[in-house]
């Protein structure tokens, strides 16, 4: 962890990991699609619409993983003032927001034929919509400051305050009456789902998670470079020889 | 051919199942491409800046 905190080390490791993660993601999602669309059976109640589950559940998972990554990185950034942590939080936000949007959109396409409605103001759906707004608010707040470190601080506080929503989403199906079905995978008693559907679901969830990490690494690299560019431009303007932000962050 | 049609019809739910998969494909691939393009353009900008200020060249450790 300490070594990862050094941006130069991080860049080296992320370049080594990236091709493996990308290959794993392609293979897992490829196999997942094969099982999800061709091998797995239709649901006895939901018919073929159950196949939407194989993209809906990974999207929901990554919407929450994205937010947890962002909140954890924000906490590290706030407490230890670590510049790389701020960049990780910033890089995670658009990815998590995209998956949260996909979760809501695929859920809507699943809800119409099965529940008879595109949308309902119920606990699970509403808390997921709040998650999307938290992401959007986070990104807006971050870009509202000229000084990136002040923007990172303000948005880190928002990310942490909003983290309370993540357990609310997870347990919303148990706490309130809702249209949404209860958890099938992450249960104390183990997954309540037939292996024929569990296989494609797990393949898709792990494949999408690899994809998430690949895009996260790309975006963190991109943010590190942006902060170097900013540092060089500042040096040119002020004529001093400041070290770039990302270079002296050895923890 | 018939089995392909049956597959594409998705038991009458084609207009819900395929848009869901299509949307996920478009958004994820789009996100990947946008992220890669931003990375490439920033890498180019950094290289250009570093060439402009030769004093900084020696410190390019992670390239």
């Amino acid at each position: 962890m300490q070594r990862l905190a050094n941006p130069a080390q991080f860049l080296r490791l992320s370049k080594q990991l990236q091709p493996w993660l990308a290959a794993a993601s392609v293979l897992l999602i490829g196999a997942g699609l094969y099982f999800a669309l061709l091998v797995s059976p239709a649901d006895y109640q939901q018919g073929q619409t159950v196949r939407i589950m194989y993209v809906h559940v990974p999207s929901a998972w990554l919407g929450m993983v994205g937010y947890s990554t962002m909140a954890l990185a924000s906490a590290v950034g706030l407490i230890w003032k670590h510049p790389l942590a701020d960049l990780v939080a910033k890089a995670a936000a658009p990815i998590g927001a995209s998956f949260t949007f996909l979760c809501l959109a695929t859920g809507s396409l699943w809800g119409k034929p099965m529940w008879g409605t595109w949308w309902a103001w119920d606990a699970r759906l509403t808390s997921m919509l709040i998650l999307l707004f938290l992401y959007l608010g986070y990104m807006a707040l971050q870009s509202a400051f000229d000084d990136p470190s002040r923007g990172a601080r303000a948005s880190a506080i928002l990310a942490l305050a909003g983290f309370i929503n993540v357990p609310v989403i997870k347990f919303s199906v148990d706490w309130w009456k809702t249209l949404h079905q209860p958890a099938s995978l992450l249960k104390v008693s183990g997954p309540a789902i037939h292996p024929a559907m569990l296989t494609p679901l797990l393949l898709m969830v792990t494949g999408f998670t690899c994809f998430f990490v690949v895009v996260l690494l790309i975006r963190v690299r991109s943010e590190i470079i942006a902060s170097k560019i900013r540092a060089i431009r500042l040096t040119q303007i002020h004529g001093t020889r400041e070290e770039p932000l990302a270079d002296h962050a050895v923890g | 051919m018939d089995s392909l049609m049956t597959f594409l019809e998705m038991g009458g739910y084609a207009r819900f199942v395929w848009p869901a998969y299509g949307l996920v494909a478009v958004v994820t691939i789009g996100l990947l491409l946008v992220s890669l393009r931003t990375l490439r353009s920033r890498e180019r900008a950094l290289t250009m800046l570093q060439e402009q200020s030769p004093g900084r060249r020696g410190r390019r450790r992670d390239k």
Side-chain angles (χ1 to χ4, degrees):
Chain A
M1 195 61 202
Q2 203 46 258
R3 277 180 46 202
L4 272 183
N6 180 332
Q9 294 269 20
F10 174 88
L11 283 170
R12 204 168 310 138
L13 188 71
S14 87
K15 277 184 183 166
Q16 282 170 358
L17 275 176
Q18 204 160 298
W20 296 101
L21 283 166
S25 154
V26 169
L27 287 175
L28 288 164
I29 294 176
L33 282 174
Y34 172 72
F35 279 99
L37 292 171
L38 296 170
V39 180
S40 76
D43 187 73
Y44 81 104
Q45 280 182 328
Q46 309 200 0
Q48 302 287 354
T49 60
V50 77
R51 301 195 196 283
I52 295 175
M53 172 177 74
Y54 305 119
V55 286
H56 175 73
V57 171
S59 304
W61 160 249
L62 289 174
M64 295 204 279
V65 165
Y67 199 91
S68 309
T69 309
M70 200 173 92
L72 184 70
S74 295
V76 172
L78 273 181
I79 299 167
W80 288 288
K81 306 246 175 293
H82 200 294
L84 188 58
D86 289 339
L87 300 183
V88 170
K90 189 179 180 188
I95 317 174
S98 305
F99 279 111
T100 306
F101 164 74
L102 284 176
C103 169
L104 290 166
T106 55
S108 199
L109 284 162
W110 196 3
K112 183 61 183 168
M114 289 302 104
W115 298 341
T117 178
W118 298 106
W119 182 259
W121 291 103
D122 104 349
R124 173 55 73 83
L125 279 65
T126 308
S127 54
M128 208 62 197
L129 184 65
I130 291 172
L131 187 73
L132 182 62
F133 289 153
L134 281 169
Y135 274 121
L136 297 180
Y138 176 91
M139 292 190 281
L141 187 60
Q142 194 155 49
S143 53
F145 289 84
D146 286 333
D147 173 4
S149 66
R150 282 184 61 204
R153 254 217 9 226
S155 51
I157 293 167
L158 174 71
L160 284 177
F163 185 70
I164 184 75
N165 191 40
V166 171
V168 171
I169 296 171
K170 168 73 186 134
F171 296 110
S172 58
V173 282
D174 305 325
W175 291 346
W176 293 286
K177 277 191 196 311
T178 159
L179 277 175
H180 199 282
Q181 58 184 312
S184 315
L185 283 182
L186 295 175
K187 287 174 61 148
V188 185
S189 52
I193 183 169
H194 192 273
M197 290 180 175
L198 185 63
T199 308
L201 193 53
L202 287 182
L203 285 169
M204 292 295 263
V205 167
T206 45
F208 272 70
T209 307
C210 291
F211 173 83
F212 174 90
V213 179
V214 168
V215 180
L216 183 66
L217 292 178
I218 292 173
R219 297 192 76 96
V220 173
R221 271 164 60 192
S222 187
E223 291 299 331
I224 291 175
I225 292 171
S227 83
K228 285 185 182 173
I229 292 174
R230 214 161 26 233
I232 294 177
R233 293 227 167 104
L234 278 178
T235 317
Q236 286 176 343
I237 293 167
H238 298 299
T240 52
R241 290 178 60 92
E242 264 178 83
E243 283 282 317
L245 181 65
D247 266 5
H248 60 155
V250 195
Chain B
M1 201 58 205
D2 268 3
S3 65
L4 180 69
M5 283 314 285
T6 324
F7 171 68
L8 290 178
E9 274 166 18
M10 277 290 153
Y13 292 115
R15 69 197 180 98
F16 300 107
V17 175
W18 295 120
Y21 277 80
L23 200 61
V24 170
V26 168
V27 172
T28 49
I29 294 169
L31 181 70
L32 177 67
L33 292 181
V34 168
S35 306
L36 277 174
R37 237 178 55 184
T38 312
L39 175 65
R40 299 278 171 265
S41 79
R42 284 178 182 172
E43 276 174 345
R44 268 199 305 274
L46 180 66
T47 317
M48 267 172 58
L49 275 175
Q50 282 171 335
E51 278 165 6
Q52 279 169 18
S53 46
R56 309 192 64 86
R57 265 190 175 163
R59 293 217 294 276
R60 287 173 62 180
R61 284 175 296 174
D62 40 61
K63 277 268 158 175

